[in-house]
Amino acid sequence: MLRTAVTATAAVVILAVSAPLGQAAEAGVDRGATAREFAVARGTRWAVCTARAEAPRWSRSAGSVVYTTRVTCRGNINRVRVHVIGRLVRSGGGGGTVATSDEFKVITTTNGGTATYDTPRGGAKARRSGTFRGSSVVQITAPMRGTRGTASSKAQYVRVP
C-alpha cells in the first residue's frame, strides 16, 4: 500500500512518497541562493527540510573563503540526521573545486530547528581572491533515508585581504 504525505511551502507543494520517496522540489530563492526542499515519509511520520546556501565570503577565523549551508527542518518526527556534502568552486579561469566538506548533524524538527554547515571544514582552503560559488547536496539519512536535495549559492567575487 502506497502512503503519501503532502506539505505546502510558499505556494510550492512537496509530495513525499514512502516507497519510493518522491523527488525534492524547488522551494524558492533567498539572498541570491537557490533553496530546495527534501523530505522523508513513512505512513503518517514525515519530515521536510529546506537547504539554503549563502554567498561565499572571506572568514578570518577559518583563514579561507567559505560558504554556509543552512538546513531548517520541520515535521512530526522529533529529530532527523541530515548529511550535507559541500563544494566550494572557483568560477572562471583556473576554476574547479577548491574545497569540500562532508558532515552529518542531528536537527530537531520542533519549531523549525536549524543547523549550519560550513565549507570548507578542515582540509584545503581557498586563500586567493576570485569569484566563488557554493554547491551542496543534502539528504535526510535517519531515522529513515529521504529524498536528496541541493542548494547552490550565487557566484560572488571575494577579495582576500
Side-chain angles (χ1 to χ4, degrees):
M1 178 175 183
L2 187 63
R3 294 182 180 167
T4 60
V6 179
T7 304
T9 299
V12 175
V13 177
I14 304 304
L15 178 63
V17 182
S18 60
L21 289 170
Q23 296 298 313
E26 187 166 338
V29 176
D30 182 30
R31 288 187 270 182
T34 60
R36 308 248 190 225
E37 284 195 346
F38 53 104
V40 65
R42 183 177 295 154
T44 59
R45 295 179 43 129
W46 61 274
V48 175
C49 298
T50 303
R52 290 187 182 351
E54 296 180 354
R57 68 193 184 289
W58 174 254
S59 169
R60 185 183 336 206
S61 62
S64 176
V65 175
V66 299
Y67 84 96
T68 300
T69 303
R70 295 193 194 281
V71 178
T72 302
C73 299
R74 65 187 188 289
N76 64 5
I77 298 172
N78 291 337
R79 298 184 288 262
V80 291
R81 185 175 69 180
V82 177
H83 182 205
V84 175
I85 299 171
R87 291 183 338 150
L88 180 64
V89 178
R90 181 182 294 275
S91 301
T97 301
V98 294
T100 62
S101 65
D102 187 341
E103 190 174 4
F104 291 87
K105 289 189 179 180
V106 175
I107 303 173
T108 304
T109 61
T110 310
N111 298 322
T114 300
T116 301
Y117 300 79
D118 290 320
T119 302
R121 181 148 177 86
K125 305 224 180 240
R127 294 189 173 124
R128 293 189 342 205
S129 298
T131 302
F132 297 90
R133 183 178 54 80
S135 175
S136 298
V137 175
V138 293
Q139 183 173 23
I140 297 172
T141 60
M144 54 202 139
R145 190 166 297 282
T147 59
R148 280 191 176 178
T150 60
S152 299
S153 73
K154 67 177 184 173
Q156 175 78 35
Y157 179 80
V158 179
R159 186 180 157 287
V160 175

